[in-house]
Amino acid sequence: MSDDLMITVCLVLVAASATVAVMVREPARQALVLAVLGLTLAALFTALQAPDVALSQLAVGAVLTPLLMLLSVRKVRRRKRTRTGEGAGR
């Protein structure tokens, strides 16, 4: 009975965090919400007794993907600032 409750709670958290990830429009916040989604998915996989999948989800879904998104957003914003600064001096 407690396993069913744990799975249900994890499913609700996954659904909630996935909904928030879709609704957030700012890329930096999306990356953070995706990290939370990855953590909740890892918890769900653990509750479903799939620890190998949970570890993969932690590594890729909760850490690597959001980190790459944040670095990409930072680089794009830096390029925009550099181009704006170059055009203003002319």
Side-chain angles (χ1 to χ4, degrees):
M1 185 68 175
S2 65
D3 288 339
D4 292 338
L5 179 62
M6 178 73 160
I7 292 170
T8 303
V9 168
C10 287
L11 282 172
V12 169
L13 290 174
V14 166
S17 58
T19 302
V20 172
V22 170
M23 296 178 75
V24 172
R25 294 292 176 208
E26 186 181 336
R29 289 187 184 190
Q30 280 179 339
L32 295 176
V33 173
L34 281 176
V36 172
L37 176 60
L39 289 173
T40 57
L41 280 170
L44 176 63
F45 293 142
T46 302
L48 293 172
Q49 299 179 357
D52 52 340
V53 180
L55 285 173
S56 298
Q57 178 62 33
L58 276 174
V60 176
V63 176
L64 190 62
T65 302
L67 180 64
L68 289 174
M69 284 183 64
L70 285 173
L71 291 173
S72 299
V73 167
R74 182 178 175 196
K75 187 163 187 143
V76 167
R77 286 183 180 167
R78 189 178 287 172
R79 279 189 181 174
K80 282 183 181 179
R81 268 191 247 135
T82 304
R83 287 183 182 171
T84 304
E86 288 175 357
R90 291 183 182 183

PDB file of all heavy atoms in Angstrom, residues 38-39 50 53 65:
ATOM      1  N   GLY A  38      13.644  16.486 -13.692  1.00  0.00           N
ATOM      2  CA  GLY A  38      14.559  15.349 -13.714  1.00  0.00           C
ATOM      3  C   GLY A  38      14.665  14.663 -12.363  1.00  0.00           C
ATOM      4  O   GLY A  38      14.709  13.433 -12.279  1.00  0.00           O
ATOM      5  N   LEU A  39      14.674  15.463 -11.304  1.00  0.00           N
ATOM      6  CA  LEU A  39      14.719  14.887  -9.956  1.00  0.00           C
ATOM      7  C   LEU A  39      13.449  14.115  -9.623  1.00  0.00           C
ATOM      8  O   LEU A  39      13.504  13.028  -9.036  1.00  0.00           O
ATOM      9  CB  LEU A  39      14.947  15.990  -8.921  1.00  0.00           C
ATOM     10  CG  LEU A  39      16.332  16.619  -8.901  1.00  0.00           C
ATOM     11  CD1 LEU A  39      16.354  17.805  -7.944  1.00  0.00           C
ATOM     12  CD2 LEU A  39      17.375  15.596  -8.514  1.00  0.00           C
ATOM     13  N   ALA A  50      13.508   0.830 -10.460  1.00  0.00           N
ATOM     14  CA  ALA A  50      14.414   0.871 -11.609  1.00  0.00           C
ATOM     15  C   ALA A  50      15.585   1.791 -11.268  1.00  0.00           C
ATOM     16  O   ALA A  50      15.688   2.914 -11.786  1.00  0.00           O
ATOM     17  CB  ALA A  50      13.672   1.364 -12.844  1.00  0.00           C
ATOM     18  N   VAL A  53      17.888   3.150 -14.188  1.00  0.00           N
ATOM     19  CA  VAL A  53      17.257   4.218 -14.971  1.00  0.00           C
ATOM     20  C   VAL A  53      17.230   5.511 -14.154  1.00  0.00           C
ATOM     21  O   VAL A  53      17.432   6.605 -14.700  1.00  0.00           O
ATOM     22  CB  VAL A  53      15.834   3.804 -15.406  1.00  0.00           C
ATOM     23  CG1 VAL A  53      15.167   4.900 -16.208  1.00  0.00           C
ATOM     24  CG2 VAL A  53      15.868   2.510 -16.194  1.00  0.00           C
ATOM     25  N   THR A  65      21.560  18.160 -18.819  1.00  0.00           N
ATOM     26  CA  THR A  65      20.715  18.934 -19.737  1.00  0.00           C
ATOM     27  C   THR A  65      20.448  20.349 -19.229  1.00  0.00           C
ATOM     28  O   THR A  65      20.635  21.317 -19.982  1.00  0.00           O
ATOM     29  CB  THR A  65      19.402  18.188 -20.013  1.00  0.00           C
ATOM     30  OG1 THR A  65      19.710  16.903 -20.553  1.00  0.00           O
ATOM     31  CG2 THR A  65      18.519  18.951 -20.977  1.00  0.00           C
TER      32      THR A  65
END
